[in-house]
Amino acid sequence: MLSPEPHAVGTRVVVQGKRGPEVATVRGEGTAPDPQGRYGAVLRAAGPEDLERWEELYRQGEDLKWLLRARARERGLPVKIVAVEFTLDESLVTVSYSAEDRIELNGLIGELRAHTRARVNFAAVGPREQAQMIGTLGACGRENCSSTHLQEFAPVSIRMARDQQLPLNPEKLSGPCGRLLCCLQFEHTQYLDLLKDLPRKNARVCHEGSGACGKVVKLHPLSGTVDVHTEQGMLVGVPAAELTRAPEAGGKGKRPEAEA
């Protein structure tokens, strides 16, 4: 049964997770649960028994994680056991692991059977999922987004960094997981809207006020300005609204073509 009332931020609640009931913390205003009713619904406020049981299952999962790591080393299995997690009703235990190649892990099920009757599920996870489970700090100094509010990982491309005029330095654009920062996608649509009012990089433009002409060398979407390298060898920053396209021989200037 779904919880009939909203819960305050910071409240511990029992939710219908992807694999079964779990304990979670309310971090903000709720969004609509999965339309198919598969997961995301708040079932109830977590009571003392729920919290005690959740803590007990967490400790059990941690113990089993280290046990499986030791058994994997003994068997020479090239695998990293990332996490062992139980559902609140202990009907399912999920072993999250990382491996370079496809690997057979059924031999480890027997190790788990000696400690739990829960159904065992092995789930291969990538670098982003590992960072989500382990928890890390981002370049901003705060806990990484994947461990706080992200529910799914949207595709992130280097084009997003280009559109935001960021230096294409892999070290600065990558998160602790080694993949492109998830936050690059957060403001990408806003940057695309701002770029519509700016000329293309390398476009030939003229300033309406001074009449100086030159080439656009850098865009500043947030301020609506561009840096122009003038024919006199100077680098000047001017509002994009004050620029026109440099006239061709015998022609008149027009508004510079906007950035696509």
Side-chain angles (χ1 to χ4, degrees):
M1 181 180 296
L2 302 183
S3 178
E5 299 180 357
H7 300 276
V9 174
T11 302
R12 304 296 295 278
V13 294
V14 177
V15 300
Q16 182 60 42
K18 295 182 180 180
R19 303 184 179 105
E22 302 175 350
V23 172
T25 302
V26 177
R27 294 187 178 274
E29 294 184 7
T31 57
D34 179 66
Q36 302 299 324
R38 292 173 297 192
Y39 64 90
V42 177
L43 303 178
R44 62 181 183 274
E49 292 183 358
D50 293 320
L51 297 177
E52 182 178 354
R53 181 61 175 157
W54 191 244
E55 290 293 333
E56 178 185 340
L57 290 171
Y58 173 79
R59 290 192 295 269
Q60 185 177 352
E62 286 292 291
D63 290 341
L64 289 176
K65 178 181 71 175
W66 291 105
L67 173 65
L68 292 181
R69 286 182 175 180
R71 295 295 182 265
R73 285 196 300 269
E74 291 173 2
R75 296 167 183 256
L77 296 175
V79 62
K80 176 183 178 182
I81 304 299
V82 179
V84 177
E85 301 170 304
F86 287 91
T87 54
L88 183 60
D89 57 6
E90 204 177 349
S91 63
L92 177 69
V93 56
T94 298
V95 180
S96 300
Y97 70 93
S98 172
E100 293 293 333
D101 302 306
R102 187 178 180 85
I103 189 170
E104 182 60 54
L105 298 175
N106 288 337
L108 297 179
I109 293 181
E111 303 291 343
L112 293 170
R113 294 298 186 200
H115 299 276
T116 179
R117 295 180 180 178
R119 182 166 55 91
V120 179
N121 174 51
F122 286 99
V125 296
R128 283 187 170 135
E129 288 81 5
Q130 291 184 55
Q132 181 183 53
M133 293 175 178
I134 297 172
T136 59
L137 293 180
C140 59
R142 303 180 64 179
E143 188 176 359
N144 60 326
C145 299
S146 60
S147 297
T148 53
H149 66 274
L150 287 184
Q151 299 298 310
E152 296 179 350
F153 295 107
V156 182
S157 68
I158 197 67
R159 177 60 189 267
M160 294 179 178
R162 289 195 183 100
D163 290 340
Q164 296 174 44
Q165 312 305 306
L166 297 173
L168 302 183
N169 184 332
E171 293 185 359
K172 294 184 178 180
L173 295 178
S174 301
C177 61
R179 298 295 190 266
L180 288 173
L181 292 164
C182 290
C183 55
L184 288 174
Q185 61 170 304
F186 295 166
E187 299 176 348
H188 186 230
T189 54
Q190 287 87 341
Y191 272 89
L192 291 180
D193 289 338
L194 293 172
L195 287 171
K196 293 177 182 178
D197 298 323
L198 300 183
R200 292 178 182 273
K201 191 174 180 180
N202 295 323
R204 296 280 302 171
V205 297
C206 291
H207 185 233
E208 292 179 338
S210 64
C213 296
K215 182 174 69 173
V216 176
V217 294
K218 189 172 183 180
L219 310 178
H220 302 281
L222 296 180
S223 63
T225 63
V226 300
D227 291 346
V228 177
H229 187 264
T230 69
E231 296 172 346
Q232 291 73 35
M234 299 178 62
L235 184 65
V236 295
V238 294
E242 299 177 5
L243 295 175
T244 59
R245 188 187 305 174
E248 299 176 0
K252 294 183 178 180
K254 298 179 180 180
R255 284 292 175 187
E257 185 177 357
E259 175 77 7

